[in-house]
Amino acid sequence: MDQTIERSSNANRTFRVQAPLVDSVSCYCNVDSGLKTVAGARKFVSGSKLCIQSDISSHAHKTKNSRRERSRVQPPLLPGLPDDLAIACLVRVPHVEHSKLRLVCKRWYRLLAGNFFYSQRKSLGMAEEWVYVVKRDRDRRISWHAFDPTYQLWQPLPPVPGDYSEALGFGCAVLSGCHLYLFGGKDPIKGSMRRVIFYNARTNKWYRAPDMLRRRHFFGSCVINNCLYVAGGECEGIQRTLRSAEVFDPNRKRWSFIADMSTAMVPFIGVVYDGKWFVKGLGSHREVLSEAYNPDINAWSPVNSRMVAGWRNPSISMNGRLYALDCRDGCKLRVYDESTHSWIRFIDSKLHLGSSRALEAAALVPLNGKLCIIHNNMSISIVDVSSPDNQLTKFRLYK
Amino acid sequence: MASSSSSSKTGLKKMLTLKSSDGDEFELEESIVIQCQTIKHMVEDGFSLIPLQNVDTKTLTKIIEYMKKHAEKTESNKEEIKNFNKEFVKGSFDDQFELVSAANYLHINGLMDLLCQSIADRINNKSVRAVREIFNISNDYTPDEEEKVRDEHKWAHEGGEFDESLD
């Protein structure tokens, strides 16, 4: 496994970016960097997703645990302090140290396995946002890496389960603030998949989740109100391009169909903006199509606005505004101006990084209220969009 | 300081007396003491002698020192307060734990944050073994169990160098 990581760190291949999670607040994620032209859409995955966190559903074993704890004499969490005060201290330990805390003793392990610890962190404003990035090696294997902005550290995630190690065209999204989902996609041998797995940032492990209803790859996805939506894409067979769409509610742990799209499409870009999910993609005759899904009325409608016409990957919807690149390396940004219905120059940092593929921006994600630009070489720039003149730029190369 | 002028009469600062569990009494201006929510509520209820049965003299002296300093807080002395805080949290765990308990009992939120964070910071970059030593926690894992937990998280440890020292 070390070898895989070693190799991946040398490779500047396409990768995807997944937004903050850990025990975080809200996030977006964006997929493959490879897509630069509409024609490239079929080769690379694309799309961007909005992920909104909500509370983790509490597990039944929580009450069981506390009962067990009450009925048994056990050592204090911190000798010399009542447990409630010990917890007040331990919740302030940064996330990067949590795997170590679990190793100290069994009680600390149980404390960190429960929801109470993380809900305390959240209510005290201690929850952290991290950026999760998926990267594909030259040998086509994928690996995930997490960026901790506080300590400016990259960490590898445990290896992706076998079904996904070489998958193409799968979706990724964050649900419930700390679960990184991978869904659908195409395995080089088995073909299109319904498979869904997720990584729990609190336990640092991968788990299986219920399969999607349809096999699909190269589809669009987004998160609205902590529900995961997928639409369109491809499936091997007679009907290559799909119209169908589904939603997954993590609390009910169930997929269900939503209204079909008006036309079958392979989406290559998507965003949740103004309460609707906008997708732009290629129809079955390779024509460019745009649609918007309104979750309130469960209906798709074609869109033909200047927003969609000038919309390019990667983009991001943040604080109600829609941002996109105005230069491939992200040194300039554009914003969509509602009043004039046009895309306008937003920031020119005057810090052009270069035109190489490695420096191109692969994705835009929100990070602690700022706009975070992830480049192909896994360096990161951060822009404070609330004060465009006061641009903060940070770079961090992977290793 | 900006505070409840409602109770200050004719320019005279209203004084309160805090009594520690050891019976020692400390007279302080009300404006300093009301940083502490518990006392503030008692003052509102008309108390002027406040017995603190859960706080001994040693701890109360420290807490008064903290409240006095923080009552002087202005825009211009931020750096000074920061340095004061840094010095304030130096000390043995026994003392710090006493202070946390007292700060919690007295509801001094700023002090709670300061102390809890400083205790939490002792964990940063330390090895597991050092954390156990520092906090006097006995390892209740069997070697097999510990290895299993370590396996679950081995991905998080790669390349990490931990500090084995106990300070």
Short mmCIF file of all heavy atoms in Angstrom, two decimals, chain B residues 61-99:
data_model
loop_
_atom_site.label_atom_id
_atom_site.label_comp_id
_atom_site.label_asym_id
_atom_site.label_seq_id
_atom_site.Cartn_x
_atom_site.Cartn_y
_atom_site.Cartn_z
N THR B 61 -7.45 32.81 44.86
CA THR B 61 -6.46 33.86 44.64
C THR B 61 -6.11 33.94 43.16
O THR B 61 -6.04 35.01 42.57
CB THR B 61 -5.18 33.57 45.45
OG1 THR B 61 -5.56 33.24 46.79
CG2 THR B 61 -4.24 34.75 45.46
N LYS B 62 -5.89 32.76 42.56
CA LYS B 62 -5.57 32.71 41.12
C LYS B 62 -6.72 33.27 40.29
O LYS B 62 -6.52 34.01 39.33
CB LYS B 62 -5.29 31.26 40.69
CG LYS B 62 -3.92 30.73 41.06
CD LYS B 62 -2.84 31.32 40.17
CE LYS B 62 -2.62 30.53 38.88
NZ LYS B 62 -1.52 31.09 38.08
N ILE B 63 -7.91 32.89 40.66
CA ILE B 63 -9.07 33.31 39.88
C ILE B 63 -9.28 34.81 39.97
O ILE B 63 -9.61 35.48 38.99
CB ILE B 63 -10.32 32.50 40.31
CG1 ILE B 63 -10.18 31.10 39.70
CG2 ILE B 63 -11.61 33.17 39.86
CD1 ILE B 63 -11.30 30.18 39.94
N ILE B 64 -9.03 35.35 41.17
CA ILE B 64 -9.15 36.81 41.33
C ILE B 64 -8.09 37.52 40.49
O ILE B 64 -8.37 38.52 39.83
CB ILE B 64 -9.05 37.20 42.83
CG1 ILE B 64 -10.31 36.73 43.55
CG2 ILE B 64 -8.83 38.70 42.99
CD1 ILE B 64 -10.25 36.81 45.06
N GLU B 65 -6.90 36.93 40.49
CA GLU B 65 -5.83 37.49 39.65
C GLU B 65 -6.28 37.54 38.18
O GLU B 65 -6.12 38.55 37.49
CB GLU B 65 -4.60 36.59 39.80
CG GLU B 65 -3.35 37.06 39.10
CD GLU B 65 -2.30 35.94 38.99
OE1 GLU B 65 -2.37 34.96 39.78
OE2 GLU B 65 -1.44 36.04 38.12
N TYR B 66 -6.90 36.46 37.73
CA TYR B 66 -7.39 36.40 36.35
C TYR B 66 -8.48 37.45 36.12
O TYR B 66 -8.44 38.20 35.14
CB TYR B 66 -7.94 35.00 36.05
CG TYR B 66 -8.63 34.88 34.71
CD1 TYR B 66 -7.92 34.51 33.56
CD2 TYR B 66 -9.99 35.16 34.57
CE1 TYR B 66 -8.53 34.42 32.33
CE2 TYR B 66 -10.62 35.08 33.34
CZ TYR B 66 -9.89 34.70 32.22
OH TYR B 66 -10.51 34.62 30.99
N MET B 67 -9.42 37.53 37.03
CA MET B 67 -10.55 38.45 36.82
C MET B 67 -10.08 39.90 36.84
O MET B 67 -10.56 40.72 36.07
CB MET B 67 -11.63 38.21 37.89
CG MET B 67 -12.38 36.91 37.68
SD MET B 67 -13.94 36.83 38.60
CE MET B 67 -13.37 36.80 40.28
N LYS B 68 -9.13 40.21 37.73
CA LYS B 68 -8.61 41.58 37.80
C LYS B 68 -7.96 41.97 36.48
O LYS B 68 -8.20 43.03 35.94
CB LYS B 68 -7.59 41.71 38.94
CG LYS B 68 -8.23 41.96 40.29
CD LYS B 68 -7.15 42.16 41.34
CE LYS B 68 -7.76 42.56 42.67
NZ LYS B 68 -6.77 42.43 43.76
N LYS B 69 -7.13 41.05 35.98
CA LYS B 69 -6.42 41.34 34.73
C LYS B 69 -7.41 41.52 33.59
O LYS B 69 -7.31 42.44 32.79
CB LYS B 69 -5.44 40.21 34.43
CG LYS B 69 -4.46 40.53 33.33
CD LYS B 69 -3.45 41.56 33.84
CE LYS B 69 -2.72 42.23 32.71
NZ LYS B 69 -1.78 43.24 33.24
N HIS B 70 -8.37 40.61 33.53
CA HIS B 70 -9.30 40.66 32.40
C HIS B 70 -10.30 41.80 32.50
O HIS B 70 -10.90 42.19 31.50
CB HIS B 70 -9.99 39.31 32.22
CG HIS B 70 -9.12 38.34 31.48
ND1 HIS B 70 -9.35 37.95 30.18
CD2 HIS B 70 -7.98 37.72 31.85
CE1 HIS B 70 -8.40 37.13 29.79
NE2 HIS B 70 -7.55 36.95 30.78
N ALA B 71 -10.46 42.34 33.70
CA ALA B 71 -11.32 43.52 33.85
C ALA B 71 -10.66 44.74 33.24
O ALA B 71 -11.31 45.72 32.90
CB ALA B 71 -11.63 43.76 35.32
N GLU B 72 -9.33 44.67 33.09
CA GLU B 72 -8.60 45.80 32.50
C GLU B 72 -8.55 45.72 30.97
O GLU B 72 -7.91 46.54 30.33
CB GLU B 72 -7.13 45.80 32.98
CG GLU B 72 -6.94 45.96 34.46
CD GLU B 72 -5.51 45.61 34.87
OE1 GLU B 72 -4.65 45.42 33.98
OE2 GLU B 72 -5.27 45.49 36.07
N LYS B 73 -9.17 44.68 30.45
CA LYS B 73 -9.04 44.43 29.01
C LYS B 73 -9.58 45.60 28.18
O LYS B 73 -10.70 46.06 28.37
CB LYS B 73 -9.78 43.15 28.64
CG LYS B 73 -9.43 42.61 27.29
CD LYS B 73 -9.55 41.11 27.21
CE LYS B 73 -10.99 40.63 27.22
NZ LYS B 73 -11.07 39.16 27.18
N THR B 74 -8.76 46.09 27.29
CA THR B 74 -9.19 47.12 26.34
C THR B 74 -8.70 46.72 24.96
O THR B 74 -8.09 45.68 24.79
CB THR B 74 -8.58 48.50 26.69
OG1 THR B 74 -7.16 48.36 26.62
CG2 THR B 74 -9.00 48.99 28.05
N GLU B 75 -8.95 47.58 24.01
CA GLU B 75 -8.50 47.31 22.65
C GLU B 75 -6.97 47.33 22.56
O GLU B 75 -6.36 46.64 21.76
CB GLU B 75 -9.08 48.35 21.69
CG GLU B 75 -10.48 48.05 21.22
CD GLU B 75 -10.60 46.69 20.56
OE1 GLU B 75 -9.90 46.46 19.56
OE2 GLU B 75 -11.39 45.86 21.04
N SER B 76 -6.36 48.16 23.42
CA SER B 76 -4.92 48.42 23.25
C SER B 76 -4.02 47.42 23.98
O SER B 76 -2.84 47.30 23.65
CB SER B 76 -4.60 49.83 23.70
OG SER B 76 -5.08 50.02 25.01
N ASN B 77 -4.54 46.72 24.99
CA ASN B 77 -3.63 45.84 25.73
C ASN B 77 -3.82 44.35 25.42
O ASN B 77 -3.56 43.49 26.26
CB ASN B 77 -3.73 46.11 27.24
CG ASN B 77 -5.08 45.71 27.80
OD1 ASN B 77 -5.97 45.32 27.06
ND2 ASN B 77 -5.22 45.81 29.11
N LYS B 78 -4.28 44.07 24.22
CA LYS B 78 -4.52 42.68 23.83
C LYS B 78 -3.29 41.81 24.01
O LYS B 78 -3.37 40.68 24.50
CB LYS B 78 -4.97 42.61 22.37
CG LYS B 78 -6.46 42.84 22.20
CD LYS B 78 -6.89 42.67 20.76
CE LYS B 78 -8.36 42.97 20.62
NZ LYS B 78 -8.71 43.38 19.27
N GLU B 79 -2.16 42.37 23.61
CA GLU B 79 -0.91 41.62 23.68
C GLU B 79 -0.56 41.29 25.13
O GLU B 79 -0.16 40.18 25.45
CB GLU B 79 0.20 42.46 23.03
CG GLU B 79 1.43 41.69 22.61
CD GLU B 79 1.10 40.54 21.63
OE1 GLU B 79 0.17 40.67 20.80
OE2 GLU B 79 1.79 39.52 21.73
N GLU B 80 -0.77 42.27 25.98
CA GLU B 80 -0.48 42.10 27.40
C GLU B 80 -1.35 40.99 28.00
O GLU B 80 -0.88 40.13 28.75
CB GLU B 80 -0.77 43.44 28.09
CG GLU B 80 -0.24 43.54 29.49
CD GLU B 80 -0.70 44.84 30.15
OE1 GLU B 80 -0.84 45.85 29.43
OE2 GLU B 80 -0.93 44.82 31.36
N ILE B 81 -2.63 41.02 27.65
CA ILE B 81 -3.56 39.99 28.16
C ILE B 81 -3.13 38.61 27.65
O ILE B 81 -3.15 37.62 28.38
CB ILE B 81 -5.00 40.30 27.68
CG1 ILE B 81 -5.48 41.64 28.25
CG2 ILE B 81 -5.95 39.16 28.03
CD1 ILE B 81 -6.02 41.60 29.66
N LYS B 82 -2.71 38.60 26.40
CA LYS B 82 -2.30 37.33 25.80
C LYS B 82 -1.11 36.75 26.58
O LYS B 82 -1.09 35.56 26.89
CB LYS B 82 -1.90 37.57 24.34
CG LYS B 82 -2.34 36.45 23.40
CD LYS B 82 -2.18 36.87 21.96
CE LYS B 82 -1.10 36.09 21.27
NZ LYS B 82 -0.86 36.56 19.90
N ASN B 83 -0.16 37.61 26.88
CA ASN B 83 1.00 37.15 27.64
C ASN B 83 0.61 36.72 29.05
O ASN B 83 1.13 35.74 29.57
CB ASN B 83 2.06 38.25 27.71
CG ASN B 83 2.70 38.48 26.36
OD1 ASN B 83 2.75 37.56 25.53
ND2 ASN B 83 3.16 39.69 26.12
N PHE B 84 -0.31 37.47 29.62
CA PHE B 84 -0.80 37.11 30.95
C PHE B 84 -1.42 35.71 30.91
O PHE B 84 -1.12 34.85 31.74
CB PHE B 84 -1.84 38.13 31.42
CG PHE B 84 -2.57 37.71 32.66
CD1 PHE B 84 -2.03 37.98 33.91
CD2 PHE B 84 -3.78 37.03 32.59
CE1 PHE B 84 -2.70 37.58 35.06
CE2 PHE B 84 -4.44 36.62 33.73
CZ PHE B 84 -3.91 36.90 34.97
N ASN B 85 -2.27 35.48 29.89
CA ASN B 85 -2.92 34.18 29.76
C ASN B 85 -1.90 33.06 29.64
O ASN B 85 -2.05 31.99 30.22
CB ASN B 85 -3.83 34.16 28.53
CG ASN B 85 -5.11 34.95 28.77
OD1 ASN B 85 -5.40 35.33 29.90
ND2 ASN B 85 -5.85 35.20 27.71
N LYS B 86 -0.86 33.35 28.86
CA LYS B 86 0.16 32.33 28.62
C LYS B 86 0.83 31.94 29.93
O LYS B 86 1.06 30.77 30.21
CB LYS B 86 1.19 32.89 27.62
CG LYS B 86 1.78 31.81 26.72
CD LYS B 86 2.92 32.37 25.90
CE LYS B 86 2.46 32.97 24.57
NZ LYS B 86 3.59 33.58 23.83
N GLU B 87 1.13 32.96 30.74
CA GLU B 87 1.76 32.69 32.04
C GLU B 87 0.78 32.00 32.99
O GLU B 87 1.16 31.12 33.75
CB GLU B 87 2.23 34.02 32.68
CG GLU B 87 3.47 34.59 32.04
CD GLU B 87 4.66 33.63 32.11
OE1 GLU B 87 4.91 33.09 33.20
OE2 GLU B 87 5.30 33.41 31.06
N PHE B 88 -0.47 32.43 32.87
CA PHE B 88 -1.49 31.95 33.81
C PHE B 88 -1.69 30.44 33.74
O PHE B 88 -1.94 29.79 34.75
CB PHE B 88 -2.82 32.66 33.52
CG PHE B 88 -3.86 32.45 34.57
CD1 PHE B 88 -3.87 33.23 35.71
CD2 PHE B 88 -4.83 31.46 34.44
CE1 PHE B 88 -4.83 33.03 36.70
CE2 PHE B 88 -5.78 31.25 35.41
CZ PHE B 88 -5.78 32.04 36.55
N VAL B 89 -1.57 29.88 32.55
CA VAL B 89 -1.85 28.45 32.41
C VAL B 89 -0.63 27.59 32.69
O VAL B 89 -0.69 26.36 32.59
CB VAL B 89 -2.42 28.11 31.01
CG1 VAL B 89 -3.78 28.75 30.83
CG2 VAL B 89 -1.47 28.55 29.91
N LYS B 90 0.48 28.22 33.03
CA LYS B 90 1.63 27.42 33.41
C LYS B 90 1.37 26.92 34.83
O LYS B 90 0.84 27.63 35.66
CB LYS B 90 2.91 28.25 33.37
CG LYS B 90 3.37 28.50 31.95
CD LYS B 90 4.69 29.26 31.90
CE LYS B 90 5.07 29.53 30.45
NZ LYS B 90 6.10 30.57 30.37
N GLY B 91 1.78 25.71 35.08
CA GLY B 91 1.53 25.19 36.42
C GLY B 91 1.20 23.72 36.35
O GLY B 91 1.04 23.18 35.27
N SER B 92 1.12 23.11 37.49
CA SER B 92 0.91 21.67 37.51
C SER B 92 -0.52 21.35 37.10
O SER B 92 -1.41 22.21 37.16
CB SER B 92 1.17 21.13 38.91
OG SER B 92 0.10 21.53 39.75
N PHE B 93 -0.72 20.11 36.68
CA PHE B 93 -2.07 19.69 36.32
C PHE B 93 -3.00 19.77 37.52
O PHE B 93 -4.16 20.13 37.39
CB PHE B 93 -2.06 18.26 35.79
CG PHE B 93 -1.89 18.22 34.31
CD1 PHE B 93 -1.01 17.33 33.73
CD2 PHE B 93 -2.61 19.06 33.49
CE1 PHE B 93 -0.84 17.30 32.36
CE2 PHE B 93 -2.44 19.04 32.12
CZ PHE B 93 -1.55 18.16 31.56
N ASP B 94 -2.48 19.44 38.69
CA ASP B 94 -3.33 19.49 39.89
C ASP B 94 -3.93 20.89 40.04
O ASP B 94 -5.12 21.05 40.25
CB ASP B 94 -2.52 19.13 41.14
CG ASP B 94 -2.30 17.63 41.23
OD1 ASP B 94 -2.95 16.90 40.44
OD2 ASP B 94 -1.47 17.19 42.04
N ASP B 95 -3.04 21.90 39.91
CA ASP B 95 -3.52 23.28 40.03
C ASP B 95 -4.49 23.62 38.91
O ASP B 95 -5.53 24.23 39.13
CB ASP B 95 -2.34 24.25 39.99
CG ASP B 95 -1.45 24.09 41.22
OD1 ASP B 95 -1.90 23.42 42.17
OD2 ASP B 95 -0.32 24.60 41.21
N GLN B 96 -4.14 23.20 37.70
CA GLN B 96 -5.00 23.53 36.55
C GLN B 96 -6.35 22.86 36.67
O GLN B 96 -7.37 23.46 36.34
CB GLN B 96 -4.32 23.11 35.25
CG GLN B 96 -3.24 24.07 34.83
CD GLN B 96 -2.98 23.99 33.34
OE1 GLN B 96 -3.89 24.00 32.54
NE2 GLN B 96 -1.72 23.89 32.98
N PHE B 97 -6.35 21.62 37.14
CA PHE B 97 -7.63 20.91 37.29
C PHE B 97 -8.49 21.58 38.35
O PHE B 97 -9.71 21.69 38.19
CB PHE B 97 -7.37 19.44 37.65
CG PHE B 97 -6.88 18.60 36.49
CD1 PHE B 97 -6.57 17.26 36.67
CD2 PHE B 97 -6.75 19.14 35.22
CE1 PHE B 97 -6.12 16.47 35.59
CE2 PHE B 97 -6.30 18.37 34.16
CZ PHE B 97 -5.99 17.04 34.35
N GLU B 98 -7.84 22.03 39.43
CA GLU B 98 -8.58 22.77 40.45
C GLU B 98 -9.21 24.02 39.84
O GLU B 98 -10.37 24.34 40.10
CB GLU B 98 -7.64 23.21 41.58
CG GLU B 98 -7.37 22.14 42.64
CD GLU B 98 -8.64 21.69 43.35
OE1 GLU B 98 -9.48 22.56 43.65
OE2 GLU B 98 -8.80 20.48 43.59
N LEU B 99 -8.43 24.69 39.03
CA LEU B 99 -8.90 25.93 38.41
C LEU B 99 -10.05 25.67 37.44
O LEU B 99 -11.01 26.43 37.39
CB LEU B 99 -7.75 26.62 37.67
CG LEU B 99 -6.78 27.43 38.54
CD1 LEU B 99 -5.54 27.82 37.75
CD2 LEU B 99 -7.47 28.69 39.08
#
